[in-house]
Protein backbone atom coordinates (compact mmCIF):
# COMPACT_ATOMS: atom_id res chain seq x y z
CA UNK A 1 0.00 0.00 0.00
CA UNK A 2 3.11 2.20 0.12
CA UNK A 3 2.11 3.65 3.47
CA UNK A 4 4.81 5.61 5.25
CA UNK A 5 4.68 4.71 8.92
CA UNK A 6 5.16 7.60 11.33
CA UNK A 7 8.44 7.71 13.19
CA UNK A 8 7.82 7.93 16.93
CA UNK A 9 10.55 8.91 19.37
CA UNK A 10 8.14 10.13 22.04
CA UNK A 11 4.57 11.34 22.23
CA UNK A 12 4.18 14.70 23.96
CA UNK A 13 1.38 15.29 26.44
CA UNK A 14 -0.48 18.44 27.46
CA UNK A 15 -3.24 18.89 29.96
CA UNK A 16 -6.54 20.09 28.56
CA UNK A 17 -6.01 23.48 30.25
CA UNK A 18 -2.52 23.80 28.73
CA UNK A 19 -3.96 22.93 25.32
CA UNK A 20 -6.58 25.66 25.71
CA UNK A 21 -3.82 28.14 26.60
CA UNK A 22 -1.86 27.21 23.46
CA UNK A 23 -5.04 27.62 21.41
CA UNK A 24 -5.81 30.93 23.18
CA UNK A 25 -9.25 29.59 24.09
CA UNK A 26 -11.20 30.35 27.29
CA UNK A 27 -10.84 27.86 30.14
CA UNK A 28 -14.63 27.51 30.11
CA UNK A 29 -14.55 25.69 26.75
CA UNK A 30 -15.94 22.20 27.49
CA UNK A 31 -14.22 20.19 24.75
CA UNK A 32 -11.91 20.34 21.74
CA UNK A 33 -13.50 20.92 18.36
CA UNK A 34 -12.05 19.47 15.11
CA UNK A 35 -10.14 22.69 14.32
CA UNK A 36 -8.61 22.63 17.82
CA UNK A 37 -7.46 19.03 17.26
CA UNK A 38 -5.87 20.00 13.95
CA UNK A 39 -4.07 22.99 15.49
CA UNK A 40 -2.78 20.92 18.41
CA UNK A 41 -1.38 18.33 16.00
CA UNK A 42 0.31 21.11 14.01
CA UNK A 43 1.75 22.41 17.29
CA UNK A 44 3.01 18.92 18.18
CA UNK A 45 4.66 18.52 14.80
CA UNK A 46 6.28 21.96 14.98
CA UNK A 47 7.41 21.82 18.62
CA UNK A 48 8.14 18.10 19.11
CA UNK A 49 8.39 16.69 15.57
CA UNK A 50 5.58 14.30 16.49
CA UNK A 51 2.44 13.43 14.54
CA UNK A 52 0.84 12.39 17.84
CA UNK A 53 -0.08 14.28 21.00
CA UNK A 54 -1.85 13.25 24.20
CA UNK A 55 -4.29 15.67 25.82
CA UNK A 56 -4.90 14.69 29.45
CA UNK A 57 -7.24 15.72 32.25
CA UNK A 58 -10.29 16.32 30.10
CA UNK A 59 -13.23 18.22 31.67
CA UNK A 60 -15.68 16.02 33.55
CA UNK A 61 -18.72 17.48 31.78
CA UNK A 62 -17.86 15.65 28.55
CA UNK A 63 -16.64 12.37 30.03
CA UNK A 64 -18.70 9.25 30.84
CA UNK A 65 -19.98 8.97 34.40
CA UNK A 66 -17.63 6.08 35.21
CA UNK A 67 -14.43 8.12 34.63
CA UNK A 68 -12.66 9.13 37.84
CA UNK A 69 -12.57 12.81 38.71
CA UNK A 70 -9.16 14.41 39.21
CA UNK A 71 -9.40 17.97 40.48
CA UNK A 72 -10.57 21.37 39.29
CA UNK A 73 -13.39 19.89 37.18
CA UNK A 74 -11.06 17.54 35.31
CA UNK A 75 -10.89 13.78 35.05
CA UNK A 76 -8.19 11.13 35.01
CA UNK A 77 -8.60 10.76 31.25
CA UNK A 78 -6.88 11.36 27.92
CA UNK A 79 -7.37 11.65 24.20
CA UNK A 80 -4.70 10.78 21.64
CA UNK A 81 -4.59 12.94 18.54
CA UNK A 82 -2.89 11.91 15.30
CA UNK A 83 -2.55 14.13 12.24
CA UNK A 84 -5.46 16.33 13.24
CA UNK A 85 -7.98 13.83 14.56
CA UNK A 86 -8.74 11.94 17.78
CA UNK A 87 -7.82 8.29 17.35
CA UNK A 88 -8.01 7.04 20.94
CA UNK A 89 -9.34 7.96 24.36
CA UNK A 90 -9.43 6.44 27.78
CA UNK A 91 -9.07 6.96 31.46
CA UNK A 92 -9.04 5.67 34.99
CA UNK A 93 -12.40 4.22 36.02
CA UNK A 94 -14.12 4.78 39.33
CA UNK A 95 -13.67 1.66 41.47
CA UNK A 96 -15.68 2.70 44.56
CA UNK A 97 -19.36 1.72 44.76
CA UNK A 98 -20.22 4.86 46.75
CA UNK A 99 -18.37 7.20 44.37
CA UNK A 100 -19.92 5.54 41.33
CA UNK A 101 -23.42 5.75 42.82
CA UNK A 102 -22.92 9.45 43.61
CA UNK A 103 -21.71 10.17 40.10
CA UNK A 104 -24.68 8.34 38.55
CA UNK A 105 -26.99 10.52 40.65
CA UNK A 106 -25.02 13.66 39.75
CA UNK A 107 -25.55 12.90 36.05
CA UNK A 108 -29.31 12.52 36.78
CA UNK A 109 -29.27 8.91 35.64
CA UNK A 110 -31.59 6.27 37.04
CA UNK A 111 -29.39 4.02 39.20
CA UNK A 112 -31.80 1.10 38.66
CA UNK A 113 -30.79 1.08 34.98
CA UNK A 114 -27.21 0.34 36.07
CA UNK A 115 -27.91 -2.18 38.83
CA UNK A 116 -26.23 -5.10 37.03
CA UNK A 117 -23.19 -2.98 36.24
CA UNK A 118 -22.67 -1.53 39.71
CA UNK A 119 -23.55 -4.70 41.66
CA UNK A 120 -19.99 -6.01 41.26
CA UNK A 121 -18.66 -2.81 42.83
CA UNK A 122 -20.42 -3.70 46.09
CA UNK A 123 -18.04 -6.65 46.43
CA UNK A 124 -15.00 -4.50 45.76
CA UNK A 125 -13.34 -3.55 42.53
CA UNK A 126 -9.60 -3.02 42.05
CA UNK A 127 -8.35 0.22 40.55
CA UNK A 128 -8.56 -0.08 36.78
CA UNK A 129 -8.71 1.88 33.56
CA UNK A 130 -9.52 1.43 29.94
CA UNK A 131 -9.17 2.91 26.51
CA UNK A 132 -10.50 2.50 23.02
CA UNK A 133 -8.93 2.98 19.63
CA UNK A 134 -10.61 4.40 16.55
CA UNK A 135 -8.79 2.04 14.21
CA UNK A 136 -10.67 3.23 11.13
CA UNK A 137 -9.74 6.84 11.93
CA UNK A 138 -6.09 5.83 12.32
CA UNK A 139 -6.09 3.89 9.03
CA UNK A 140 -7.80 6.78 7.24
CA UNK A 141 -5.08 9.22 8.37
CA UNK A 142 -2.24 6.75 7.89
CA UNK A 143 -3.29 6.00 4.32
CA UNK A 144 -4.23 9.63 3.61
CA UNK A 145 -7.77 8.65 2.64
CA UNK A 146 -10.32 11.39 2.06
CA UNK A 147 -13.23 9.63 3.78
CA UNK A 148 -13.41 7.27 6.74
CA UNK A 149 -15.73 4.99 4.77
CA UNK A 150 -12.72 3.99 2.63
CA UNK A 151 -11.05 2.64 5.79
CA UNK A 152 -14.14 0.69 6.93
CA UNK A 153 -14.83 -2.92 6.08
CA UNK A 154 -18.58 -2.26 6.24
CA UNK A 155 -19.05 1.51 5.83
CA UNK A 156 -22.38 2.96 6.86
CA UNK A 157 -24.11 6.18 5.97
CA UNK A 158 -27.68 7.37 5.52
CA UNK A 159 -28.01 5.20 2.38
CA UNK A 160 -26.16 2.08 3.60
CA UNK A 161 -27.25 0.79 7.01
CA UNK A 162 -26.40 -2.89 6.59
CA UNK A 163 -23.33 -4.58 5.04
Amino acid sequence: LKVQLPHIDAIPALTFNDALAILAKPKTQPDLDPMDELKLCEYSKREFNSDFIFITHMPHDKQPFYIKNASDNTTESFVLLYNGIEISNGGIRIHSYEELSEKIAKYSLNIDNYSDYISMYKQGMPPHGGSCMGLERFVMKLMKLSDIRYASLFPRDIHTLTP
Side-chain angles (χ1 to χ4, degrees):
L1 297 174
K2 300 180 182 175
V3 170
Q4 184 176 354
L5 296 176
H7 175 76
I8 304 171
D9 286 327
I11 300 177
L14 297 171
T15 66
F16 180 77
N17 287 335
D18 289 342
L20 291 180
I22 288 166
L23 296 167
K25 298 273 185 143
K27 286 196 175 197
T28 56
Q29 181 171 324
D31 204 357
L32 299 173
D33 64 38
M35 188 56 66
D36 295 337
E37 293 176 355
L38 181 62
K39 288 178 181 178
L40 288 168
C41 286
E42 289 170 352
Y43 170 83
S44 181
K45 187 67 170 176
R46 184 176 62 251
E47 297 296 321
F48 305 104
N49 194 30
S50 176
D51 294 321
F52 298 87
I53 188 166
F54 280 108
I55 308 300
T56 66
H57 295 86
M58 302 300 290
H60 66 78
D61 291 344
K62 293 293 181 176
Q63 296 300 308
F65 70 86
Y66 50 80
I67 297 292
K68 188 166 185 56
N69 284 349
S71 60
D72 299 330
N73 296 325
T74 65
T75 56
E76 296 289 335
S77 63
F78 73 89
V79 297
L80 176 61
L81 307 177
Y82 169 64
N83 278 348
I85 193 169
E86 179 183 323
I87 61 165
S88 182
N89 64 47
I92 301 299
R93 308 299 201 246
I94 294 171
H95 58 274
S96 156
Y97 175 79
E98 292 76 20
E99 188 178 348
L100 189 58
S101 298
E102 289 170 12
K103 198 130 180 227
I104 288 171
K106 182 179 179 187
Y107 276 61
S108 300
L109 300 170
N110 182 347
I111 198 163
D112 294 335
N113 293 339
Y114 300 92
S115 60
D116 289 341
Y117 173 68
I118 65 171
S119 65
M120 63 186 153
Y121 289 80
K122 288 180 181 179
Q123 309 308 315
M125 179 65 69
H128 63 287
S131 65
C132 63
M133 174 84 174
L135 191 56
E136 291 164 335
R137 290 171 168 227
F138 180 64
V139 169
M140 177 186 77
K141 287 296 188 172
L142 188 64
M143 295 182 65
K144 297 180 172 69
L145 301 172
S146 62
D147 192 310
I148 197 164
R149 290 176 291 183
Y150 300 136
S152 302
L153 182 58
F154 299 108
R156 296 176 186 210
D157 58 28
I158 59 171
H159 303 294
T160 308
L161 298 177
T162 59

